[in-house]
Amino acid sequence: MLKTNDNTLFVDGVSALELADEFGTPLYVYSEHRIKENLNEIRTSFLNKYPNTHAAYACKAFCTLYMCKLLDEEGFWIDVVSGGELFTAIKAKFPPGRIEFNGNNKSEEELVMALDYGVERIVVDNVSELYHLEKLCMDSGKKVKILFRITPAVTSDTHEYITTGRKDSKFGIPLDEDILYPLIQYAIESKAFEFLGFHFHVGSQLLDTKSHLSALEVILELMLATKQKFGYDIKDFNMGGGFGIKYTDSDNPLGISDFVDPIMNRLDEFCSDNNLIRPHVSMEPGRFIIGDAGIQLYRIGNIKEIPGVKTYASVDGGMTDNMRPGLYGAKYDATIANKADEPKNAVVDISGKCCESTDILIKNLKCTKPETGDLLAVFSTGAYGFSMANNYNKIRIPAVVVISDEKARLIVKRQSYDDMILNEMI
Ligand SMILES: Cc1ncc(COP(=O)(O)O)c(C=O)c1O
């Protein structure tokens, strides 16, 4: 996807310099080819390899009309976690029969929306949601398929802020037998629900399989207990997402098959040992599909050298368009796109333009000596950049372009100053 030619960085055959000239900076740039390659890996290693499976894109990673339409064309499902994501999918004409709805505090408005649009399944996150949803189903005469999101009480080897499966988590139903088993029975017996089974999501940017495999053991025991206690066959199991990608040279991500094969083998083995029917299996990755398909382009502005300390190169964006470094110390690699072949003999901090000291996009970046006016390309910014963008300091949200067939296409316009005050009143 990224190549250099004549000292210039190219994205799928399109010059980064021309992209910046045509669309301005900061700019989110996506490679459709890379998105499709990532989808193909999921197809080859999961969907085509194992029958009775599906894969949903966790659209929180990058939720746009374009993405929903592409995912539909590619035959994938979509996982939404809010009315806004659901609305976007529906506006893109994404079939509700392939939408699942996650989230730890779905509002009544959102649950009603989900029922009205007819999403295929709702992942129930907690006890109060179960009763709330049941009432809404009863009131409207609708029946909905549900899974329980389980907190499997496993720790994961990732940043504390993106671990989600440990016992003390705001997500999911805890494993306490006194809570869980009565709830399973309730869901099985309720006329409002078709109880499908269990879901977990143990964390994000995972670079090994440990937490998935530990969480799987918890689900297997639950499947068996559900059969033994209630005579009920679990129909569905969702392994969540979290499959890590390469941000910097120190990341060694696994492939999809590294996660999926041991999960599917263990599931098959457990089911045949215990005379259980192997359930339908699904996953819901976000970052794996979109993360390395995106880069961000920034114009370098002021350079501040503190003799004997360090050099800051400031860019025309920052934590407003990529808050991950400020939020949980996420690391990125970058290059100067107009000096792509030159030796990287400088070390600088790339700072954003926001009024926060934590607005440092990259610390200690090894790059060519930066100068005002250079174009910086930050790699693997496709996930949770645009989708977490905000208007702090009233900075506008950048435009998004996608490259396909060596052509760039605008898929999100740059926010205007007028857009920013559209809903304000004096
Ligand atoms: C429930 C759930 N599913 C899937 C995902 C996607 O995670 P990732 O982008 O790391 O694959 C998340 C991320 O927060 C999540 O909370």
Side-chain angles (χ1 to χ4, degrees), residues 253-266:
L254 300 173
I256 286 294
S257 54
D258 297 313
F259 283 95
V260 158
D261 290 347
I263 290 177
M264 298 307 283
N265 292 341
R266 176 71 185 125

Side-chain angles (χ1 to χ4, degrees), residues 50 212-218 220-221 223-224 237 259-274 276 278-279:
Y50 298 100
H212 277 87
L213 293 179
S214 317
L216 175 65
E217 292 304 316
V218 170
L220 297 177
E221 289 308 321
M223 281 170 46
L224 185 59
F237 155 58
F259 283 95
V260 158
D261 290 347
I263 290 177
M264 298 307 283
N265 292 341
R266 176 71 185 125
L267 186 61
D268 276 344
E269 175 195 63
F270 187 88
C271 288
S272 72
D273 286 354
N274 293 285
L276 297 173
R278 197 271 257 165

Side-chain angles (χ1 to χ4, degrees), residues 58 60 79 102 149 199 201 204-205 241-242 284-287 384:
K60 70 194 82 184
D79 166 48
N102 249 296
R149 177 168 180 173
H199 166 288
H201 173 75
S204 280
Q205 184 53 14
E284 51 189 35
R287 181 189 324 263
Y384 306 106

